Amino acid sequence: MTVQPDIGSVRLPDLPHWEEIPDDLPAAIVEIKQALRARIQASGRSVEDVFAVIELRVHALVDDVLMARARGESVWPVIEYTDIANSTVTAEQLAYLRRRGCLVVRGHFDHDQARAWDRGIVDYVESNRFFENYRGPGDDFFASVGSTPEIYPIYWSPAQMQARQSDRTATVQRFLNHLWVSESSGVRWFDPDRDSLYPDRIRRRPQGAHSAGLGTHLDPGTLDLWMTRGYQQAFRHLFDGTVEAYDPWDAAHRTDGPQYPGSTMCSAFRTFQGWTALSDMDHDQGVLHTVPIPEAMGYLMLRPLLPDVDEDDMCGVTVNQVFPADGKHHALLLEALSGIPDVRAGDSVWWHCDMIHSVAPVRDQKGWGNVMYIPAAPWCPRNERYARSVLGAFLAGDSPSDFPEEHYERTWPNRFTVHDLNDTGRRGLGLTS
Ligand SMILES: [Fe+2]
């Protein structure tokens, strides 16, 4: 469906769109940038004016982060699991969570439960001689050292599946999903109360590890963010003269369209990315950082339209590589880059799917750095489609199709089975509605 902006009788020019990766990328970038500028100008505003609106808004939020840091306050909101479960999260806490777009859930799982899952994962891989058979990294996104990976391409351990289908995870995901507008213009864009159990990997980083970390980047897409019909509609307010109405929590038009394929793609729509800690981790041991400003996505989307960026350049964004955030184009945003506080095994960490994030480097790490990646990926057309392929991978013990085809678990007898699924698990895999 097409949403026409309410700007009187002006008819804005349509945007060209590419539902698959264009053959000639530089030419398509030139074309879409010209079309986006023309559309903004037809609305009666200039690109500079629209960008200035977002910049001002983001600037205030960057200042807010810097001031909180100067006062010695935690930049990351922290909420107790019991408050989420008992609906006793205060209005102030909710407002702070909305402002920052990221969260640590304390005690999402019991500490002993998380430690038991961590040991369970070790038993699972060792009993199946994973380290002897490990063939090296299946992709080049996460660097790996030696014969023991930090990122285990393992998806179907009892520990992971028990965490994914647990009531406690469903409670946290529901709470987070409800921060979004999931229904508008008579369309239910996603079901905030049903998750699709997006399967992802495990990280186990041993004490003493040296790690280069991961640079600042975003995960929701690459050039498709500007070039597909769905994303153009999702980000409509940035380009039709109604930039003040841009809402990073609006799911409209985000949950059905395609994403350009690539080694870092995520087929699912995630309201929040997340992981669950399986070891205690101090804040200075190579942990996750974010730019805790959901509105920064508006800045990132408009920035390539400014005249200091080459006509065939989207500030370095291209297909098949992660979307970079860099000091050259996004210096203002990176000032706000903030790490998580200390976390304990059983805590979970969440960040809005559009937010810039990175993993800090570490040398001679103290303690383990172990996590299970479990996001919030609510039921929607896009996630329902992907769930069909996930179900096949689950039944066969395959690597899910978003990930390299490594398939270590096919013959592992002690992986989680269809008989171990509870109601949440069955609904998440589309076995029941
Ligand atoms: Fe990422």
Side-chain angles (χ1 to χ4, degrees):
M1 88 189 234
T2 303
V3 173
Q4 279 299 321
D6 181 18
I7 53 166
S9 57
V10 180
R11 167 108 177 99
L12 299 182
D14 289 334
L15 295 171
H17 60 97
W18 296 261
E19 300 309 295
E20 293 176 5
I21 297 175
D23 293 333
D24 186 342
L25 277 182
I29 291 174
V30 170
E31 191 179 341
I32 192 63
K33 283 172 71 161
Q34 286 173 354
L36 290 168
R37 289 197 194 102
R39 192 170 164 85
I40 291 170
Q41 277 151 12
S43 76
R45 305 180 78 166
S46 70
V47 171
E48 285 78 4
D49 166 36
V50 168
F51 183 75
V53 171
I54 283 283
E55 191 176 34
L56 200 66
R57 194 164 151 192
V58 168
H59 211 307
L61 291 161
V62 170
D63 287 346
D64 184 64
V65 168
L66 298 183
M67 285 188 292
R69 203 185 286 159
R71 289 192 300 266
E73 294 169 9
S74 169
V75 169
W76 276 68
V78 176
I79 296 179
E80 296 287 334
Y81 171 78
T82 47
D83 282 328
I84 295 173
N86 298 329
S87 301
T88 49
V89 177
T90 66
E92 265 172 329
Q93 284 176 304
L94 265 181
Y96 194 48
L97 168 53
R98 272 178 181 284
R99 188 173 353 139
R100 294 281 193 256
C102 56
L103 175 67
V104 173
V105 178
R106 287 274 183 238
H108 178 151
F109 291 108
D110 184 70
H111 190 260
D112 291 343
Q113 168 70 83
R115 300 291 302 125
W117 275 334
D118 193 47
R119 284 192 303 277
I121 287 164
V122 173
D123 289 345
Y124 179 65
V125 296
E126 284 186 346
S127 66
N128 291 296
R129 302 178 58 81
F130 169 66
F131 298 120
E132 290 87 336
N133 295 323
Y134 181 61
R135 299 183 295 270
D139 63 33
D140 55 8
F141 185 52
F142 291 107
S144 181
V145 280
S147 59
T148 306
E150 280 178 11
I151 303 289
Y152 291 18
I154 300 302
Y155 306 90
W156 310 118
S157 67
Q160 285 161 290
M161 284 301 290
Q162 284 165 14
R164 286 177 196 141
Q165 69 170 7
S166 88
D167 289 347
R168 296 174 79 96
T169 296
T171 297
V172 173
Q173 288 164 332
R174 192 177 302 123
F175 168 73
L176 293 168
N177 290 338
H178 278 280
L179 294 168
W180 284 70
V181 178
S182 59
E183 210 170 325
S184 60
S185 312
V187 181
R188 190 183 212 199
W189 304 103
F190 69 79
D191 178 351
D193 299 320
R194 177 180 181 184
D195 192 76
S196 67
L197 260 64
Y198 185 79
D200 204 327
R201 302 180 276 198
I202 292 160
R203 188 192 76 190
R204 298 192 83 251
R205 213 169 59 198
Q207 44 196 358
H210 306 311
S211 170
L214 279 178
T216 42
H217 70 278
L218 292 86
D219 293 334
T222 56
L223 290 178
D224 38 12
L225 295 165
W226 292 273
M227 291 185 174
T228 62
R229 191 89 188 104
Y231 274 132
Q232 287 171 354
Q233 289 180 295
F235 294 112
R236 61 201 176 282
H237 293 298
L238 301 175
F239 306 122
D240 69 5
T242 58
V243 62
E244 288 80 2
Y246 168 62
D247 175 9
W249 302 98
D250 177 6
H253 306 284
R254 289 196 67 146
T255 59
D256 199 2
Q259 193 183 13
Y260 289 169
S263 58
T264 59
M265 88 174 289
C266 175
S267 297
F269 165 69
R270 295 176 285 195
T271 53
F272 281 79
Q273 308 218 51
W275 49 255
T276 301
L278 297 179
S279 64
D280 299 350
M281 284 173 271
D282 288 344
H283 67 278
D284 55 358
Q285 297 302 305
V287 298
L288 177 81
H289 285 55
T290 63
V291 173
I293 302 174
E295 288 81 356
M297 190 63 184
Y299 185 106
L300 290 150
M301 293 296 294
L302 287 165
R303 183 69 184 82
L305 304 184
L306 294 189
D308 65 329
V309 183
D310 287 344
E311 271 309 281
D312 61 354
D313 179 21
M314 279 294 194
C315 298
V317 180
T318 188
V319 295
N320 221 4
Q321 289 176 27
V322 289
F323 183 138
D326 63 48
K328 183 176 168 198
H329 299 105
H330 313 120
L332 169 68
L333 308 179
L334 298 188
E335 282 180 54
L337 190 67
S338 302
I340 57 169
D342 295 349
V343 293
R344 302 236 310 144
D347 294 345
S348 60
V349 170
W350 304 85
W351 65 103
H352 185 292
C353 59
D354 287 348
M355 283 196 339
I356 298 168
H357 55 286
S358 66
V359 181
V362 62
R363 289 196 61 76
D364 194 15
Q365 179 180 287
K366 288 198 241 84
W368 284 80
N370 301 349
V371 308
M372 282 192 275
Y373 298 103
I374 302 178
W379 205 252
C380 61
R382 191 163 150 183
N383 294 357
E384 183 172 359
R385 271 197 302 279
Y386 188 60
R388 283 198 280 274
S389 117
V390 166
L391 176 63
F394 167 64
L395 295 173
D398 287 352
S399 303
S401 57
D402 270 357
F403 296 90
E405 296 179 38
E406 296 170 281
H407 308 312
Y408 284 104
E409 297 168 85
R410 278 180 179 169
T411 58
W412 295 10
N414 47 351
R415 67 173 198 258
F416 193 86
T417 73
V418 72
H419 306 293
D420 304 317
L421 290 169
N422 65 14
D423 239 24
T424 303
R426 279 190 291 274
R427 290 184 82 213
L429 292 169
L431 286 168
T432 53
S433 56

